[in-house]
Amino acid sequence: MRKKQLWILMAAMAAMFAMAGCKSKEVADTPTLPPTPASGYRVGTVVSDAYVDPSTIQTPAPEEVKAVGYEYDYDSLTYELVWSDEFDYEGAPDDTKWGYDTGGSGWGNNELQYYTAGDNVSVKDGVLIIEARKEEKGSRDYTSTRLVSRGKGDWLYGKIEVCAKLPSGVGTWPAIWMLPTGWKYGDWPASGEIDIMEHVGYDQDRIHGSVHTKSYYHSIGTQKTASVKTEGVSEEFHVYTLEWLPDKIIISMDGEEYFRFEPTKYKSQPTYKEWPFDKEMHLLINFAVGGDWGGAKGVDETIYPQQFIVDYVRVYQSKEITALAGED
């Protein structure tokens, strides 16, 4: 009996020391709260990772709130074709629809190409061909093209479809995307960016769709994005689609949605910081070489020339959404 009592006493003492050790570690590793205010909305002595001081919360003015209050039947929306390029001609891209961003600045991503004004793009056999080549121009070792519809095709809301076949190889980085035309909310990323399709050659057959805003962008690791894996993106044509509505963005591939951005899922009262997508935007189609993402695993210099081929570009708008947004 004495041995049993001694064993129980030793076990109880060990448990007490263990509890004391855990408590000491918890206090040492976790910041303590300031004194509890008179209002008494704090409990305990440990700051939660989720704690937000109510005094720091700012409620936006009603006129600053965006992407809320819209009511419509998504499944009943009707769309009409308002702009397109079927590439059913020969020669240079239609200059009433397309312009060029040119130069070899690296474009904020340390890209390796020099974008030319037409030397790397042509229309023939019913398709648009952007060709990236390994050749020196300016201070760059590659040339390519960045087509833009800015000033020739600018829209607020709608559905955009681009049928394309992508290049392949480590270091290639083609994209179909949108930028703001007026930059109403300030420089990138404040005025927004919509990436309808991005592909990096070191991750073959994976397609990415994303949005970037002042609150959500890749440089601070908060961008909203998703990807889909589909075989044959460089061997076959696929349709990349954006549905841009007053309160949501939906990105699909071959009719299958894989990314949806609704700002109210992240913030109950979004402002332009979460939803700058209530101003006109234009389309860009470009083929970059290397860069922070495209060249993250190097660049295979032996694969060039490489081609980014587009079968058509079609832009549709909905009368219901146009009326709802007050754009009549």
Side-chain angles (χ1 to χ4, degrees):
M1 290 294 293
R2 289 180 181 177
K3 290 183 179 180
K4 183 175 181 181
Q5 291 173 345
L6 178 61
W7 181 86
I8 292 173
L9 177 62
M10 291 175 65
M13 291 176 66
M16 290 174 62
F17 282 119
M19 291 176 64
C22 288
K23 185 175 182 181
S24 298
K25 183 175 186 300
E26 181 179 354
V27 171
D29 289 352
T30 308
T32 57
L33 281 169
T36 302
S39 58
Y41 52 76
R42 296 187 186 125
V43 177
T45 60
V46 177
V47 178
S48 167
D49 290 338
Y51 172 74
V52 177
D53 185 344
S55 67
T56 67
I57 298 175
Q58 296 181 347
T59 301
E63 63 271 17
E64 295 177 344
V65 177
K66 299 182 180 296
V68 299
Y70 292 98
E71 295 183 7
Y72 53 91
D73 183 356
Y74 172 77
D75 294 327
S76 297
L77 295 179
T78 59
Y79 282 95
E80 296 180 356
L81 185 68
V82 297
W83 191 97
S84 69
D85 199 335
E86 301 294 328
F87 305 113
D88 51 1
Y89 51 91
E90 300 283 323
D94 185 345
D95 62 9
T96 68
K97 297 178 179 179
W98 302 104
Y100 302 92
D101 282 340
T102 60
S105 65
W107 302 94
N109 302 301
N110 297 307
E111 298 166 22
L112 304 180
Q113 78 290 331
Y114 188 103
Y115 283 134
T116 65
D119 294 343
N120 293 72
V121 63
S122 62
V123 178
K124 61 181 179 180
D125 299 326
V127 295
L128 172 86
I129 302 170
I130 297 177
E131 185 170 272
R133 308 180 189 123
K134 191 176 189 311
E135 58 183 3
E136 292 184 8
K137 188 171 181 65
S139 61
R140 300 293 168 176
D141 294 328
Y142 298 86
T143 61
S144 188
T145 287
R146 175 158 146 162
L147 278 181
V148 298
S149 70
R150 183 178 57 246
K152 303 177 180 185
D154 307 271
W155 310 279
L156 175 61
Y157 311 133
K159 180 185 292 187
I160 296 177
E161 293 182 347
V162 180
C163 181
K165 182 165 63 174
L166 310 183
S168 65
V170 175
T172 59
W173 186 5
I176 303 166
W177 52 306
M178 300 191 80
L179 282 177
T181 298
W183 298 92
K184 171 69 174 179
Y185 300 115
D187 293 339
W188 191 93
S191 290
E193 173 183 326
I194 303 173
D195 298 319
I196 303 171
M197 186 288 302
E198 281 190 279
H199 176 262
V200 288
Y202 67 79
D203 190 7
Q204 185 63 38
D205 295 327
R206 184 172 297 280
I207 301 300
H208 304 264
S210 312
V211 298
H212 301 278
T213 75
K214 189 173 181 64
S215 291
Y216 311 126
Y217 66 102
H218 69 276
S219 299
I220 59 173
T222 57
Q223 79 275 14
K224 303 306 178 185
T225 185
S227 66
V228 61
K229 188 83 170 179
T230 303
E231 293 184 2
V233 298
S234 298
E235 290 75 41
E236 301 171 350
F237 286 92
H238 294 271
V239 178
Y240 304 97
T241 303
L242 163 69
E243 294 176 80
W244 173 20
L245 298 161
D247 56 357
K248 64 178 65 70
I249 283 170
I250 302 168
I251 294 178
S252 307
M253 178 178 179
D254 294 332
E256 295 294 326
E257 175 187 331
Y258 70 93
F259 173 59
R260 179 179 293 226
F261 173 65
E262 297 179 74
T264 52
K265 288 187 175 181
Y266 307 100
K267 192 168 184 178
S268 62
Q269 293 183 301
T271 68
Y272 82 91
K273 295 179 181 180
E274 295 75 39
W275 186 262
F277 306 114
D278 60 347
K279 305 298 178 185
E280 283 192 342
M281 304 184 80
H282 59 273
L283 188 65
L284 300 91
I285 302 177
N286 71 282
F287 182 177
V289 177
D292 296 337
W293 191 13
K297 295 190 177 181
V299 177
D300 185 351
E301 299 181 352
T302 69
I303 63 174
Y304 294 90
Q306 279 286 316
Q307 294 183 339
F308 181 12
I309 304 175
V310 180
D311 186 22
Y312 61 78
V313 179
R314 297 170 183 166
V315 180
Y316 305 83
Q317 289 189 308
S318 167
K319 289 184 177 180
E320 294 89 348
I321 295 300
T322 299
L324 189 64
E327 296 297 322
D328 280 340

